[in-house]
Amino acid sequence: MKLFKATPVFLTLVLLILHGVCAQVRGNDFADVEIRQSFKPFILADALMMDLGGVRILERKDNTKLIYAIAATSNKHPLHQRTVARSKALKNLLAYFNGVELDAQKKLDSKKTTIITDDGITYKIVKQLDETIIKTVRGKVQGLPTVGTWRSSDRALYYMAIGGVIDSEGKIVHEKLPE
C-alpha cells in the first residue's frame, strides 16, 4: 500500500492558499462591524463563528470567564432585527448551558389514483414523507450587554454579539465587564 507523501513545496502552496482564503473571509464577508474593543480580537479571530453564531467561553487569569454569544437574523426592520438577534443569542446561551430538547415526528402519506383511459388502466401512487423537528430550549439566563453588531456583506443578515464576564458559579460580574 502506497501512502500519500506531501512535499514541502506542496504544503507551502496549500498553506498560502488557505491563508488567502481565510484573509478573504475575514475581510469581505461582513460590513458595518462595530465590536467593543475588549471583545474585538476574539470575535474577529473566528470568522466562522461570526457567520454561524454560537457561544464562546474564555478562561481569564483572575478565575473569571469571558463569555459571548452570537446570533443572526434576516429580519429587515431595524428594531425587530435587534430584538430577534438578541433573543437568538440568549437562546444560544441557554442551549449551551441547559442543552436542547429535540422532538422529531415523521408522517408518511400514500395516495393511489386510478386513471382509466382508452389505452387501459394507469395507476399513480404518490408517497410523501413529512418530517418535523422541534427544538426546545428552556431556562433562565441573565441578560448580557450587546458587545458587537455587524452585517453580512450583502446586508441581508444582521448579527449581534452579547457578552460579559462570569464568575466560577456562572453569575455575571458587572464590575469586571471589559470596556
Side-chain angles (χ1 to χ4, degrees), residues 76-94:
K76 302 291 183 223
H77 191 279
L79 181 60
H80 292 155
Q81 61 189 199
R82 290 187 63 81
T83 303
V84 171
R86 181 173 204 56
S87 296
K88 285 183 172 184
L90 288 168
K91 177 192 63 88
N92 286 345
L93 279 175
L94 277 173

Side-chain angles (χ1 to χ4, degrees), residues 13-138:
L13 181 61
V14 169
L15 288 174
L16 285 173
I17 290 170
L18 288 175
H19 177 71
V21 169
C22 290
Q24 280 184 328
V25 168
R26 269 188 299 224
N28 297 334
D29 279 355
F30 307 108
D32 306 327
V33 177
E34 294 180 22
I35 301 172
R36 188 184 286 189
Q37 195 59 41
S38 55
F39 286 85
K40 203 172 212 173
F42 307 113
I43 293 174
L44 291 178
D46 194 348
L48 189 60
M49 185 165 159
M50 283 182 76
D51 188 33
L52 300 178
V55 175
R56 287 284 187 267
I57 299 177
L58 307 168
E59 298 282 337
R60 294 170 24 130
K61 293 178 184 175
D62 62 356
N63 292 327
T64 60
K65 297 173 184 169
L66 185 72
I67 183 170
Y68 60 94
I70 297 173
T73 182
S74 59
N75 193 305
K76 302 291 183 223
H77 191 279
L79 181 60
H80 292 155
Q81 61 189 199
R82 290 187 63 81
T83 303
V84 171
R86 181 173 204 56
S87 296
K88 285 183 172 184
L90 288 168
K91 177 192 63 88
N92 286 345
L93 279 175
L94 277 173
Y96 182 85
F97 287 111
N98 295 348
V100 177
E101 183 179 312
L102 291 176
D103 182 27
Q105 300 171 356
K106 289 183 181 179
K107 179 181 173 186
L108 178 62
D109 282 335
S110 181
K111 294 179 184 177
K112 181 178 176 182
T113 306
T114 305
I115 302 169
I116 302 173
T117 63
D118 292 338
D119 297 331
I121 299 174
T122 305
Y123 295 101
K124 182 178 178 183
I125 300 173
V126 177
K127 292 185 179 186
Q128 182 175 345
L129 177 64
D130 290 326
E131 184 173 19
T132 304
I133 299 175
I134 299 170
K135 178 180 170 182
T136 306
V137 178
R138 289 190 178 95

